[in-house]
Amino acid sequence: MSPRPLHFLRRGQRVTLHDVPPDRTLLEVLREDLHCTGTKEGCGEGDCGACTVVIGERVQDTDGPAQLRYKAINSCIRLAHSIDGMALWTVEDLTQDPHLHLPAGKDLHPVQESLLQCHGTQCGFCTPGFVMSMFGMYQNHAGGSQLDRQGAQEALSGNLCRCTGYRPILEAARHMATLPPATVDAPAVLQKLELLALEKQAPEAQSSYQRPSSLRELLQLRAEHPQAQVVAGCTDVGLWVTKQHRRFDMVLDVTAAAELQTITHAEGQLRIGAAATLEAAFTALHSHWPQLHSFAARFAGLPVRNSGTLGGNVANGSPIGDSMPLLIALNAQVVLASVRGERRLPLEQLYTGYRQNVIAQDELLVRIDVPVPPLSSGTTQHLRAYKVSKRQDDDISAVCLVMHLQVSEGIVTHASVGAGGVAATPARAVQTEAAMRGQPWTAATAHSAGRTLQAEFSPISDMRASGDYRKHLLGSLMQRFWLESQGQVGVSLQDIRVEVSA
Amino acid sequence: MNTAAMYTTGVMGQSHAHESAKAQVLGAAPYLDDLAELRGTLYAAPILSTVAHGTLHGLDCTDALAMPGVHGVVLAADIPGDPILAAFGHDEPIFALDKVWHVGQVMGLVVADSVMAARRAARKVKADITPLPAVLDTATAIAQQSFVLPPVHVRRGDADAGLARAPHRLQGTLEVGGQEHFYLEGQIAYVIPQEQNQWLVHSSTQHPGEVQEWVAHALGIGAHAVTVQCRRMGGGFGGKETQAGHLAVWAALAARKFGCPIKLRLDRDDDFMVTGKRHPFSYEWDVGFDDQGQITGLKLQMAAHCGFSADLSGPVADRAIFHADNAYFLSDVSITSYRCKLNTQSHTAFRGFGGPQGVIVIETIMGDIARMLGLDALAVRQRNYYDADVQSGRATTHYQMVVEDNILRPITQKLELSAHYQQRLAAISAWNAENSILQRGIALTPVKFGISFTATLFNQAGALVHVYTDGTVQVNHGGTEMGQGLNTKVAQIVADELGVPLAQVQVTASDTSKVPNASATAASSGTDLNGRAAQYAAQKVRSNLAAFVAGLDHCGAGAVGFSGGKIHSPNGSRDFKAVVKEAYANRIQLWSDGFYRTPKIHYDKTTLTGRPFYYFAYGVACTEVAIDTLTGESKVLAIDVLYDAGKSINPAIDIGQVEGGFVQGMGWLTTEQLVWNDKGVLTTHAPSTYKIPATGDIPAHFQVQLYQEPNREDNVGGSKAVGEPPFMLAISVYEALRHAIASARDQQGKTGVVQLQAPATAEHVLQALLH
């Protein structure tokens, strides 16, 4: 089986590539096949951002006009075929795209000009990645003018620089909005993307990279090719290719199936399609629970959140994945589908052991349903998501703990607790929940719940943390939760600000 | 920001953009892996040991050779020259011979027609190894006398007597972790066979001359048959001082065997597993001091974790000794330095080169003394400062160098005021008393860093300045550009010397066939050495032109000036370009070499006494942090730095070095943790597990100022070195964390010193809170 030709739009032109293997990365295609070496490989695992490029997708909301959606992504772990039918910008393209209009008399895009003026480059190896993350910000946040320092910092947390100490780069991210603007001729790009979509031949049944556009086709293909590697955003599977050297004869990419991309709010549920990106999914969750913002911003870097999907994170089932403890605490259910039909189960029941789950060979995880019931009057809801890691941003949790309580007349009426990093799978702290449910919400209850929580798990020691430390955290995070539930401020480092007068 | 031009008369002193900045933002600045590849290029990947220590009986390559695209393997038997690298200790086999010494040691290469084919096949090679006991910690190494080099003792005065007469005594220990360089561009070499057994080596290296020497040594040929080039590195930080040479040697051996160009680019995980890092250190000390915290005696033991071979461990451990005083006069001191041999990667140069490992222990001692006496740590630090009066008897280091250029007190006082240290210290005390979960801390710490290679012979440099007939200027020097702005500064120096605009001067790739025998670009000395050599070369061309103009205008050559693209004499001004054209027609030499060697330096290698450094660079930093006593998590809240760059050649570039060095040092002491497991496997071998600082770690208040005073020694442009010293300013982060921890411990009624293991991860902070 060979893959079908790969088409994408770059510099106003359709690029067509033949015989690109299904497991070839976008970065390999750029550097080795197209000889565009502006985009760099720093780590080959999506953690440093040197390989960042921006993709443009044509999206159409019901009724509204088609729009161009820009996403900065890591090209080193993204399979090349996954960008079929999209627009692509690399660092070289910002000054070479006929649809990207630079300010009059300028030979640099404002993001480039800004980095130059702010002395934001030293060795320069990370620079193309920063340029492209900033280009994503530029397109998505009105030239960057809508982002404060915090916003800029969050948007750039997936790009590492070892030379500058970031101060000039963060300054450049703010400064770019003050420079004469550059604009993308979005209608022209959209028109070409539409043509690309129309020209695309019907799916070849025998192609080795399948990216069907409907759930029905997807499930049919899944049934026919149980050995195919299922991918969504590739943010983990990409590493199997680059680091574990695995080969895939056939890839089934779920990201184009319209049903899997949608996020809807209906019947007291937030229904998140499994292929919704982490960024989109967290935005939806965050709109219901604003306190989740900082937790969401700490989930990997933006390029990973732009590619990776909520369903991928859940299906992957890593014990240190951060979305599952949250979803468990929110009592989410997963929907598994196959040509045989659908079934749903509580998320934590998906897992049977370390990276093992109940998904059958012909099944796919298609949706995550998060209940958002209206609160009955007199009930207070306490939801907090905690993550402890070596680095604040773009790191993997030593421990992730999500606490979700409803308290009515001083009594805990509902308790759900999700934990990561403390067992072979993401886990629900069943005993801890039981220890709180029906109890008065007091310091004593919290303290005792902390003890139960510590007794409930036997975390391992590894390079991220010792088992003892993880165990300690379970107790101390419960204590912080108690304090925060009482409205105490000054108990979180996030709240602390310092002013040093000049 | 302090980037305003302070010296507006010329090109020097102005914040010109990095010479490659525009190309970098365009993605048009090529790094080695971006160079167009020659037809027939093959790719190599290393075969790595998975055993920390063992007897190597042989390699079974059958499965690897059967893989698609594989052309063959390169093993020790393929080495025509010496199978031991021409390194410092001559103790590193090119490929493991009869023994393996660490997990990740390279045993050979697989060569294939693509990078991934080579990497896939390399993992199919089976090594027949009988494991031997591995030494994996310094305590075991010392107990077993497992050393890469003999211990070194440095003494001044009588430490025992100094301790005996002290009113107060403290004993302590400290563990400080190593650090991965994490240059964004990984290690890479590309070797191209030339005619008649000659070789062109593209290497991402800080030391092309050494790469040339090593490749010639391994191939058994003369250095004259090897040319090494490097236009730029994607970061070096010391990690490409010796380590780059290994890759070039491996690639050269493959190129020789297969008779074609060979590229070897390490995967990031392999880079972590193969190459050396900053030396982790363990310390034990016994210090005596008076009621005011003035040290009367110190006995210090430093154990450097060197890994399996010497590499640069000798000079690194020496520099740790040279900096164990930091800013402080130690009247009676005894230092013992162990260079421990362990079954890990061989640790190597890293920004500061042992200096940070020297400075951190004395700063820890200062903090402990202050807390034991209940004094402000800054006051105790200042009480121990070297005296600016060289006649005072308190201005000579423990290695007998007089500190002649001491600006410690004025620079400290300036920052103490501008950062409002005293007010904030008081505010923090009050705040801490009101809070229990969170605690804040502040520290103001100094750095005094010796500038020069401690190996005196390396303090030399050469350069070439070519003026072409159109008046444009090309400069080549022995230094390398790794992002630090060396080429920009050198171009500024040459432009001012010739009085031409900066745009008229171009600096070209480092090339062993242009400037030979160049030292590594290291020890913060790049501009001092190469800038001066280029200045001397430019001066020779300038004096040729001055003499020519003097002849035309019948004046003395001394009356001829160069500025603004013009050459001035008492008779008027001419365009530089016009004079050059005319001088060429009159057969005047328009190019020249320049050579510089650092004056005044000397020292006795056996006793480590003398004047190893031409001058000292100084700096101070004031950092405020907060900790969460529930989890041990911490946050840096504000950083103020005042750095002594002398008369800065390029303030923007210097500030960039200070900021970058500080943040790198902060990473070393906070989030960057190297973890080897009990099998000797480095389990933090990628950015997913090894965390360098990211944007979120940088406080909104990060203020760096340059201290405005020209170098008191005659250094190029009156400037001072800036590469390494700011790294150690990040020790203020560590000391601020200990201040916050001490405050929390006080609240909890805990006594005893704050025992904080570095890096201060959340787990280590929590341990320090609880012990």
Side-chain angles (χ1 to χ4, degrees), chain A residues 263-265 269-272 276-296 299 310-311 313-314 322-332 347 368-372 381 383 385 402:
Chain A
I263 299 177
T264 55
H265 187 188
Q269 286 189 330
L270 194 58
R271 292 177 174 167
I272 303 174
T277 63
L278 289 158
E279 182 67 7
F282 273 117
T283 301
L285 290 166
H286 166 218
S287 69
H288 285 274
W289 294 283
Q291 67 267 47
L292 294 178
H293 171 79
S294 68
F295 181 74
F299 189 111
L310 189 65
N313 198 242
V314 168
D322 279 342
S323 70
M324 294 81 91
L326 173 64
L327 293 169
I328 289 169
L330 293 174
N331 302 305
L347 186 134
I368 296 126
D369 290 344
V370 183
V372 279
Q381 178 177 243
L383 173 71
V402 185

Side-chain angles (χ1 to χ4, degrees), chain A residues 40 123 243 391 466 469 480, chain B residues 31 34 628 631 692 763:
Chain A
K40 311 301 181 198
C123 90
K243 298 297 175 176
R391 188 172 67 198
S466 70
Y469 178 64
R480 184 191 291 170
Chain B
Y31 300 79
D34 305 334
D628 179 336
T631 59
I692 71 167
E763 183 164 3

Side-chain angles (χ1 to χ4, degrees), chain A residues 498, chain B residues 376-378 416 419-435 439-443 622-624 739 743:
Chain A
V498 65
Chain B
D376 169 32
L378 178 59
E416 184 182 359
H420 308 288
Y421 171 79
Q422 296 297 345
Q423 296 93 310
R424 286 163 67 195
L425 183 65
I428 286 167
S429 290
W431 193 90
N432 283 349
E434 298 291 310
N435 287 272
Q439 291 283 285
R440 290 156 92 150
I442 190 168
C622 180
T623 299
E624 183 176 343
H739 180 223
S743 175

Side-chain angles (χ1 to χ4, degrees), chain B residues 720-750:
Chain B
K720 282 193 174 186
V722 69
E724 292 168 293
F727 182 93
M728 281 147 280
L729 293 173
I731 290 169
S732 59
V733 177
Y734 175 80
E735 280 299 285
L737 286 168
R738 293 207 315 145
H739 180 223
I741 293 165
S743 175
R745 288 175 60 88
D746 284 349
Q747 269 193 5
Q748 294 159 10
K750 289 197 167 75

